[in-house]
Amino acid sequence: GQQVQQSPSSLVLQEGENAELQCNFSSTATQLQWFYQSPGGSLVSLLSNPSGTKHTGRLTSTTVTKERRSSLHISSSQTTDSGTYLCAPHQGGSAKLIFGEGTKLTVSS
Amino acid sequence: GPKVLQIPSHQIIDMGQMVTLNCDPVSNHLYFYWYKQILGQQMEFLVNFYNGKVMEKSKLFKDQFSVERPDGSYFTLKIQPTALEDSAVYFCASSLGDRGDTQYFGPGTRLLVL
């Protein structure tokens, strides 16, 4: 089945710095979603990006389908960006999302 | 964006009791999902549901679990009887299509089984 590796597992930044999060997965995925999970546990869908580059606000995601990897770039980080970022590609031939363990981001002022 | 609602937000029950978790999916969506996240652990797929049927389920979807969406109302996850290891946050999601479509997630129901 689909295996998902996210790196780094944790990242500490000063406010204003940029973050680069990586996601590698083992099988082709027809869809890939990035999520933010708050320290309280609520889940927010950030981007759907099965291929190419997508932007929303301070977020940019680039997915290279053939190489089975995706990245999430957060520019000018803010303390409110602190939380866990989850990458979830689809399992090949299935509708289910397979979640990585996440990157825990801490942004300090 | 599209909103998925979940009721209740929290539930505490005694082991062995029945619990029903309710999900109000995006109105025109056809595919529905449940995911489970134990505190501090990865989110894991439980089941997906389409046209009144379970399409796919994981090994976490035990015999004590069932799902239904009677007459287009709430999409429900029922656990009967509950066990201590069922304590987790359960997230509902919905999508318009299946494999290529974005899944929209609800805020989760925090279930504690005592």
Side-chain angles (χ1 to χ4, degrees):
Chain A
Q2 182 76 278
Q3 304 287 326
V4 182
Q5 293 289 335
Q6 289 189 246
S7 61
S9 56
S10 63
L11 184 60
V12 179
L13 298 175
Q14 287 288 115
E15 198 167 27
E17 292 183 321
N18 299 331
E20 188 81 17
L21 282 54
Q22 303 291 338
C23 176
N24 292 277
F25 44 99
S26 58
S27 308
T28 303
T30 53
Q31 181 56 278
L32 182 143
Q33 293 182 234
W34 281 95
F35 295 87
Y36 166 78
Q37 189 161 40
S38 71
S42 63
L43 198 67
V44 175
S45 182
L46 298 174
L47 283 166
S48 294
N49 187 21
S51 66
T53 298
K54 289 197 175 178
H55 305 274
T56 180
R58 294 182 292 109
L59 304 178
T60 301
S61 172
T62 299
T63 299
V64 184
T65 311
K66 285 194 297 187
E67 296 179 12
R68 299 189 298 278
R69 60 179 173 87
S70 182
S71 64
L72 181 69
H73 181 87
I74 306 171
S75 63
S76 304
S77 63
Q78 301 172 1
T79 56
T80 50
D81 295 332
S82 297
T84 300
Y85 291 78
L86 302 172
C87 169
H90 275 192
Q91 167 90 0
S94 163
K96 66 185 179 187
L97 294 176
I98 306 297
F99 284 80
E101 293 188 357
T103 293
K104 184 176 179 181
L105 176 65
T106 304
V107 182
S108 55
S109 56
Chain B
K3 296 286 188 190
V4 175
L5 304 177
Q6 290 189 241
I7 301 163
S9 58
H10 295 76
Q11 180 87 53
I12 301 174
I13 58 169
D14 291 324
M15 183 177 62
Q17 286 190 313
M18 181 193 76
V19 67
T20 300
L21 309 183
N22 299 292
C23 171
D24 188 9
V26 179
S27 60
N28 62 335
H29 283 186
L30 301 175
Y31 292 81
F32 313 110
Y33 312 82
W34 286 103
Y35 291 82
K36 176 183 179 180
Q37 187 177 35
I38 294 173
L39 186 64
Q41 297 186 22
Q42 259 166 290
M43 183 89 70
E44 293 189 271
F45 168 83
L46 278 178
V47 65
N48 69 350
F49 187 84
Y50 166 73
N51 197 26
K53 297 175 191 170
V54 169
M55 303 301 291
E56 189 177 4
K57 60 184 179 180
S58 72
K59 61 179 187 285
L60 296 179
F61 194 78
K62 304 179 295 184
D63 291 343
Q64 297 90 326
F65 288 40
S66 62
V67 291
E68 63 176 355
R69 192 185 187 210
D71 300 324
S73 60
Y74 287 145
F75 174 52
T76 63
L77 173 65
K78 185 185 292 186
I79 309 174
Q80 182 178 26
T82 51
L84 296 177
E85 61 265 27
D86 296 330
S87 294
V89 182
Y90 291 84
F91 290 92
C92 172
S94 70
S95 63
L96 184 58
D98 55 352
R99 297 168 196 182
D101 278 17
T102 298
Q103 293 180 22
Y104 294 87
F105 279 68
T109 293
R110 284 146 185 80
L111 176 66
L112 179 59
V113 181
L114 301 176

